[in-house]
C-alpha cells in the first residue's frame, strides 16, 4: 500500500509540474516576452530555450526544485492579482508587466523581475498584493 501511495504522489507531482509548465508558458505568451526573458524568470540557462517549447506542449514539467516552483507560484500569483485588478482591461492585464512604474524607480515590473531575479519576482508579487489590499 505504501509503494502505491508513493507512486501516486510521484505521478501527481509530475502531472502538477506539467500543468504548471503549460500555465506559465501560456502566461509568457500573453505577456509577449522573449525566450531569454522567460528563461530568466524561470531561473534556467539560456541554453535551455528548447525546454520552453517542450513545457508549452506539455511534454515536460517545470524544472525540479523549490526555486523553480516558487518562481512559478509567484508568476501565477502576479497574473491572478492583475486579473483581479484589471478584470475588464486586457491591455493592462497583459501589458502592465512591461509598463514603466514609479514604484519600481521607473523600471518595468519585467525589468525588476529579470534584474533582481527571485527577489524581484517576489517584490512585484508583494507590490500587487498590497495594491489590491491584501
Amino acid at each position: 500500500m505504501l509503494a502505491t501511495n508513493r507512486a501516486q504522489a510521484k505521478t501527481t507531482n509530475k502531472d502538477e509540474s506539467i500543468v504548471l509548465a503549460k500555465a506559465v508558458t501560456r502566461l509568457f505568451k500573453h505577456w509577449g516576452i522573449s525566450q531569454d526573458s522567460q528563461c530568466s524568470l524561470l531561473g534556467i540557462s539560456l541554453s535551455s530555450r528548447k525546454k520552453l517549447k517542450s513545457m508549452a506542449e506539455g511534454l515536460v514539467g517545470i524544472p525540479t526544485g523549490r526555486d523553480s516552483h516558487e518562481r512559478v507560484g509567484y508568476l501565477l500569483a502576479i497574473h491572478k492579482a492583475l486579473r483581479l485588478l484589471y478584470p475588464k482591461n486586457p491591455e493592462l492585464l497583459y501589458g502592465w508587466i512591461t509598463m514603466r512604474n514609479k514604484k519600481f524607480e521607473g523600471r518595468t515590473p519585467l525589468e525588476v523581475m529579470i534584474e533582481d531575479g527571485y527577489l524581484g519576482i517576489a517584490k512585484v508579487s508583494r507590490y500587487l498584493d498590497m495594491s489590491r489590499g491584501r
Side-chain angles (χ1 to χ4, degrees):
M1 196 63 130
L2 183 59
T4 304
N5 289 341
R6 284 185 188 156
Q8 287 173 337
K10 285 183 180 181
T11 302
T12 302
N13 289 339
K14 182 180 178 187
D15 291 346
E16 287 175 3
S17 179
I18 288 173
V19 169
L20 289 172
K22 288 172 73 174
V24 78
T25 54
R26 194 169 37 248
L27 176 59
F28 291 157
K29 283 185 181 182
H30 284 296
W31 283 350
I33 62 175
S34 70
Q35 286 187 329
D36 288 356
S37 294
Q38 293 174 38
C39 288
S40 292
L41 292 175
L42 292 174
I44 59 177
S45 70
L46 296 180
S47 62
S48 299
R49 281 182 240 154
K50 289 182 182 179
K51 186 171 186 170
L52 293 171
K53 184 177 184 209
S54 296
M55 289 171 58
E57 294 171 352
L59 301 175
V60 298
I62 59 173
T64 58
R66 183 176 175 183
D67 181 71
S68 294
H69 283 267
E70 288 182 2
R71 285 172 179 263
V72 170
Y74 277 127
L75 292 166
L76 295 176
I78 289 167
H79 176 61
K80 179 181 176 181
L82 291 170
R83 286 183 60 139
L84 293 169
L85 288 167
Y86 309 112
K88 297 181 181 182
N89 190 333
E91 291 82 20
L92 278 174
L93 171 62
Y94 297 118
W96 182 86
I97 209 78
T98 57
M99 295 177 179
R100 302 246 169 249
N101 191 313
K102 288 189 286 187
K103 294 291 183 182
F104 299 128
E105 300 168 350
R107 296 186 294 169
T108 69
L110 181 61
E111 290 170 339
V112 171
M113 293 188 294
I114 290 173
E115 292 168 10
D116 299 348
Y118 176 86
L119 294 176
I121 297 169
K123 180 179 183 177
V124 171
S125 181
R126 283 192 308 270
Y127 169 75
L128 287 169
D129 282 345
M130 288 188 309
S131 294
R132 59 186 191 98
R134 189 170 165 222

